[in-house]
Every structure is written in structure tokens, then in C-alpha cells.
Amino acid sequence: MLLSIHHIGIAVDDLDAAIERYSVLFGAVVEHREAVVEQGVEAASLRLGASRVELLAPTGPDTPVGKFLARRGPGMHHVAFQVADVAAELERLRADGVPLIDEQPRRGMFGLQVGFVHPEATGGVLAEFVSDDLA
Ligand code: CO
């Protein structure tokens, strides 16, 4: 069961510049910042009122976000849906033959449990399931 949109993920070239832009334009406040070396990404989670934006900058061109930027340029990268049970949501879709990026939950940004659904399944937008007891 989906509970809410947890965050929108946005691919950026320059994380510091993007944080500054969201702060000046929208009054966003950084709640977490983290480099996830094995995923080739440096990320910042920003709060905007009750909502959240996740800014993602690649650590190099040969990373998933680096390739995304080369292909599509900066912009919206994924939408993350908050769910109670990531494994159950992935299993529900897998049983229906829906293309997934993750068949099992994994540790995502900020230690949260996540799983990604392939953009082929949604009509072009990468979707993320996330469970977050603190949200
Ligand atoms: Co995300």
C-alpha cells in the first residue's frame, strides 16, 4: 500500500549550487547530506515544508546518475513512494511480471530501505519504494 510521495529525486551537475538554488528559490533546508560511494552519488535531502526533494550529483561520468545526466541532462530523476513494506511491494509487482531494477530491498540513501521499479513499467519515470519510520 502506498502511503505518500516521500520525495522527488532530481539529478544535478553541482550539488552545492543546486542546494543554494533550492534554498534561495524555495526556502529549502538540508536535512541530510551523504556520499554513497558504491552507488557513485553524492546526495542531499532537502525539506520544503512537509515535502522533500533529493538532489543527486554523480561522483563521475561512469555512474548511473552520471549516465543519466549525459543522456538527459539535469532534471527530474525519480519519484519515491513511501510504503510500509518495500519487500512486499516489490514482490507484488514481480509476481505480475513488472520490470524491476531491484527484486529485493536494499539500503538506500540515509540508511532507508529502498527498491526501484524500472521506468519501462511506469511510462518513463524511475519509481522508488522507500520505507521511512521517521517520515
Ligand atoms: Co530517492
Side-chain angles (χ1 to χ4, degrees):
M1 187 181 66
L2 299 191
L3 303 173
S4 64
I5 291 179
H6 185 271
H7 63 266
I8 302 293
I10 296 177
V12 304
D13 287 312
D14 181 330
L15 189 58
D16 289 314
I19 290 170
E20 175 71 12
R21 182 176 301 128
Y22 275 80
S23 168
V24 168
L25 292 177
F26 306 124
V29 176
V30 177
E31 66 173 352
H32 294 294
R33 183 170 174 155
E34 181 181 325
V36 184
V37 176
E38 66 273 20
Q39 290 171 32
V41 72
E42 187 176 3
S45 179
L46 310 184
R47 289 306 290 244
L48 297 94
S51 300
R52 238 187 227 101
V53 166
E54 183 178 272
L55 301 176
L56 305 160
T59 56
D62 208 24
T63 60
V65 175
K67 290 173 185 167
F68 177 93
L69 284 174
R71 204 167 57 242
R72 297 174 63 166
M76 187 174 153
H77 180 264
H78 65 270
V79 58
F81 299 110
Q82 186 175 355
V83 298
D85 186 338
V86 174
E89 298 302 330
L90 292 173
E91 175 54 28
R92 180 174 62 79
L93 296 185
R94 195 197 60 76
D96 284 341
V98 172
L100 302 175
I101 290 175
D102 298 307
E103 299 224 331
Q104 302 290 332
R106 60 185 167 87
R107 182 193 172 279
M109 221 64 71
F110 319 120
L112 302 177
Q113 198 178 57
V114 303
F116 283 89
V117 179
H118 200 284
E120 276 175 19
T122 64
V125 177
L126 178 62
E128 174 183 7
F129 291 132
V130 57
S131 79
D132 182 351
D133 293 339
L134 303 175

